[in-house]
Amino acid sequence: MMFVETRGNDGKNPKSVKFSYAILNPSASFGGLYSPETLPKFDKDFFTRMSGKNYKELALEILRLFQIDIEERILREALDLYDKFDNKNSPAPLVKIKPDLFVNELYHGPTRAFKDMALQPFGYILSYLAQKQGEKYLILAATSGDTGPATLDTFENKENIQVVCLYPSGGTSDVQRLQMITAEGKNIKVIGIHGNFDDAQNALKSLLASNSFRENLKKQNISLSAANSVNFGRIIFQIIYHVSSYIELLKQNELKIGDKFYITVPSGNFGNALGAYYAKKIGLPIEKILITSNINNILTDLLTTGVYDVSKRELLQSTSPAMDILISSNVERVLFDKFGNQRCKELMSELSQNRTYTLSKNELEALREEFDAVYSDDEFAIKTIAKFAKEGYVLDPHTATCIKAYEKLKQKDIPCVICSTAEWTKFAPVMWSALQNNGKKQADKEALENFSKALNLTIPKCISSLFEKEIKHPDVVEKTQIEKSITDFLKGSS
Ligand SMILES: *Cc1c(COP(=O)(O)O)cnc(C)c1O
């Protein structure tokens, strides 16, 4: 399978590239992204054949369909990393919480958020490619709290790889911050910035696009790559767990092959939702992909009115920080897939020049065939957390927003699968205050203890041990200082 650029080709980059190229060099012409030129299709016996398979076997089948230029041995080794997830039968168990409502638990990996589902195997493959080519790579990641820890974990002490991770200071939970600033690998640098996630992501995008930065790295024989979901190497692994949720529904006799179901995704950068979109195109019978946002409801606006308008918005802080995003990068890949590279480029330039774009009526209709969207404010999320916890199921503040879509957007009497993107332990202060219904925020440590006692839950060691660990990365810098911090780190002076 070949990959092409969402904003067309500038004559300097190759016209189409293989998977390994796209993941090592994720920035495409005109600031675009690499996307599959064509998508494979499940054959008609696919689901029958998969019904007896486990997650890793299913994953391998799907990766084979994409015909990527990575040897099967490496793919298998990458998928073996799912063995260290804490759930025995599958890294992504499907749990029934109501007769027509299921939770795809995607947070059983080492950093307790769904980012591990993709970053564990992706990190393995990227390090393998770097070593095979004998090249050094600098991986840049901007995080709102979960990508950072998952990126640091997957690349820790990997040969030929250095990682710099930018996070918004004050924009993450204590647990998320500790996961990053206590990270031990020698090849790792974590930098807090005075700003929000969009600032961190913009800094990353401009470094990726900066010729002078790239030239400087070149002098040190270092190439640049990214671990955000702008990298297709992550997206490919995010197709698989949507398919696995359907296979689980079949195994649990909730559906027959061909029956449709809803998938609900709490969205930020739209990587998870894009995985569902590709799964649908490949032949997963999804009735509709239901998108939830929080009060930063730019995706809800886009998918209900056709207008994407950042010009009058400021990023608001919410109880679901991983969804506190205004520039949602992967929407671009859907626009490209639906409307082609010229139109995509036009819309993206409008966005960067005027901070807004408007889809035509037909374009909006085309998107609404695939998606519907709604948003949940903090009050709804908090009430939902308390209600479900008391009934016996714990939803983290991001996953809780999905209940809004389940209640408002699900029109047909068919199963609905919610993607659960984080374990409650990453957001304990919100969880405990929701349960107490008192609006008071405790520190993470006390809140973790109180919530786990109240509901008789265990806290995984990887979370409880964070509070005892040494802080390795105390730096918090101004936006203007980011490039210098990175350069200093590469010189070995920090
Ligand atoms: C990253 C993240 C999201 C948003 O996922 P996208 O793929 O960026 O839309 C939602 N919830 C949690 C907990 C996350 O870590």
Side-chain angles (χ1 to χ4, degrees):
M1 152 164 315
M2 299 301 281
F3 291 81
V4 292
E5 300 160 296
T6 51
R7 303 186 193 179
N9 183 261
D10 63 5
K12 292 179 213 141
N13 281 338
K15 281 228 167 68
S16 69
V17 303
K18 292 185 173 163
F19 179 77
S20 59
Y21 183 100
I23 71 172
L24 289 169
N25 313 282
S27 43
S29 303
F30 310 116
L33 306 172
Y34 281 106
S35 285
E37 189 167 28
T38 54
L39 287 165
K41 261 283 181 211
F42 294 144
D43 61 70
K44 76 178 192 332
D45 301 323
F46 180 82
F47 293 109
T48 316
R49 271 191 289 121
M50 289 306 113
S51 63
K53 306 255 167 153
N54 66 30
Y55 191 92
K56 287 198 289 182
E57 292 164 335
L58 169 71
L60 197 61
E61 283 288 327
I62 295 174
L63 293 172
R64 277 192 194 126
L65 284 179
F66 274 83
Q67 299 184 317
I68 54 179
D69 61 331
I70 308 291
E71 296 120 84
E72 179 143 332
R73 174 177 68 88
I74 300 303
L75 294 179
R76 283 179 189 275
E77 286 169 11
L79 294 171
D80 280 342
L81 293 170
Y82 288 136
D83 292 345
K84 71 179 179 197
F85 283 41
D86 75 350
N87 186 66
K88 280 205 183 58
N89 297 322
S90 164
L94 190 74
V95 177
K96 184 171 185 168
I97 62 170
K98 282 181 185 289
D100 61 348
L101 185 60
F102 300 78
V103 181
N104 195 8
E105 292 183 350
L106 304 174
Y107 56 73
H108 289 276
T111 70
R112 316 312 287 170
F114 92 108
K115 304 294 195 287
D116 290 326
M117 291 297 299
L119 274 162
Q120 283 290 316
F122 166 75
Y124 189 86
I125 291 172
L126 198 71
S127 329
Y128 162 77
L129 289 174
Q131 285 168 54
K132 186 174 146 192
Q133 309 200 343
E135 278 185 50
K136 284 198 192 137
Y137 278 88
L138 170 65
I139 311 287
L140 292 179
T143 186
S144 58
D146 290 328
T147 295
T151 303
L152 298 173
D153 187 276
T154 196
F155 289 117
E156 187 180 298
N157 292 328
K158 284 277 188 331
E159 301 279 328
N160 293 29
I161 302 274
Q162 282 173 299
V163 184
V164 170
C165 175
L166 306 175
Y167 72 93
S169 175
T172 71
S173 74
D174 282 352
V175 163
Q176 290 173 318
R177 187 172 45 83
L178 287 172
Q179 283 181 316
M180 293 184 273
I181 65 175
T182 64
E184 283 172 10
K186 290 193 187 63
N187 60 338
I188 282 168
K189 174 79 184 172
V190 178
I191 306 170
I193 65 162
H194 295 293
N196 58 35
F197 172 69
D198 279 338
D199 295 323
Q201 179 157 267
N202 284 337
L204 175 133
K205 280 186 183 165
S206 64
L207 284 175
L208 280 174
S210 154
N211 285 331
S212 64
F213 184 64
R214 209 173 272 269
E215 286 304 314
N216 261 334
L217 292 178
K218 224 183 202 162
K219 283 182 201 145
Q220 308 173 63
N221 278 324
I222 302 174
S223 310
L224 200 53
S225 188
N228 280 54
S229 55
V230 298
N231 196 314
F232 193 84
R234 278 180 58 180
I235 303 297
I236 197 166
F237 291 103
Q238 301 198 346
I239 297 170
I240 298 163
Y241 55 69
H242 295 299
V243 183
S244 99
S245 72
Y246 189 70
I247 310 261
E248 278 302 314
L249 287 173
L250 295 173
K251 281 185 189 165
Q252 297 175 16
N253 286 322
E254 298 288 347
L255 285 181
K256 291 193 297 297
I257 291 176
D259 291 350
K260 291 193 171 177
F261 74 129
Y262 289 96
I263 286 183
T264 306
V265 184
S267 284
N269 235 346
F270 217 67
N272 199 351
L274 180 71
Y277 173 76
Y278 287 141
K280 187 168 188 277
K281 287 202 69 168
I282 295 167
L284 188 65
I286 303 174
E287 170 71 24
K288 238 174 212 169
I289 303 160
L290 307 178
I291 302 300
T292 53
S293 353
N294 61 28
I295 40 171
N296 296 294
N297 54 358
I298 195 129
L299 290 170
T300 308
D301 276 0
L302 175 70
L303 296 169
T304 54
T305 68
V307 180
Y308 197 103
D309 188 354
V310 206
S311 68
K312 295 177 203 72
R313 280 178 185 266
E314 257 182 68
L315 194 76
L316 304 171
Q317 284 205 350
S318 77
T319 54
S320 40
M323 298 152 73
D324 290 346
I325 290 177
L326 291 179
I327 301 291
S328 179
S329 305
N330 277 301
V331 171
E332 174 166 355
R333 286 192 165 110
V334 177
L335 299 177
F336 164 74
D337 193 72
K338 286 272 178 207
F339 315 126
N341 61 20
Q342 272 192 326
R343 179 62 172 152
C344 182
K345 185 177 177 208
E346 192 176 287
L347 293 169
M348 291 300 108
S349 337
E350 275 178 37
L351 183 60
S352 72
Q353 277 160 30
N354 310 326
R355 313 286 292 154
T356 179
Y357 63 79
T358 303
L359 299 178
S360 72
K361 193 161 160 279
N362 287 345
E363 287 168 340
L364 175 61
E365 255 168 42
L367 287 190
R368 290 187 56 82
E369 271 169 30
E370 319 284 349
F371 301 101
D372 202 353
V374 71
Y375 76 97
S376 149
D377 59 17
D378 283 356
E379 194 190 338
F380 178 87
I382 281 173
K383 276 197 190 133
T384 302
I385 291 169
K387 177 166 166 266
F388 278 76
K390 284 171 190 156
E391 288 169 9
Y393 191 82
V394 178
L395 300 160
D396 93 287
H398 303 78
T399 312
T401 66
C402 290
I403 300 299
K404 188 81 170 206
Y406 167 73
E407 289 175 356
K408 296 280 178 226
L409 302 180
K410 182 176 175 289
Q411 289 175 342
K412 296 191 178 167
D413 188 20
I414 53 177
C416 179
V417 169
I418 288 178
C419 289
S420 180
T421 47
E423 186 176 59
W424 69 271
T425 54
K426 296 195 93 168
F427 307 100
V430 175
M431 300 300 295
W432 178 238
S433 129
L435 199 64
Q436 296 286 91
N437 191 22
N438 64 5
K440 286 193 201 132
K441 281 269 194 78
Q442 286 184 327
D444 280 46
K445 195 161 187 255
E446 287 81 63
L448 273 164
E449 277 158 20
N450 286 329
F451 194 85
S452 70
K453 268 196 208 122
L455 295 179
N456 204 7
L457 304 165
T458 44
I459 303 168
K461 188 101 198 304
C462 59
I463 299 291
S464 57
S465 64
L466 286 173
F467 299 93
E468 322 305 329
K469 287 175 90 175
E470 186 191 338
I471 289 170
K472 304 270 187 189
H473 305 277
D475 302 10
V476 179
V477 307
E478 297 298 331
K479 282 178 271 181
T480 49
Q481 293 301 305
I482 294 170
E483 186 165 345
K484 182 175 180 312
S485 299
I486 299 177
T487 316
D488 289 350
F489 161 63
L490 294 175
K491 282 192 198 130
S493 65
S494 73

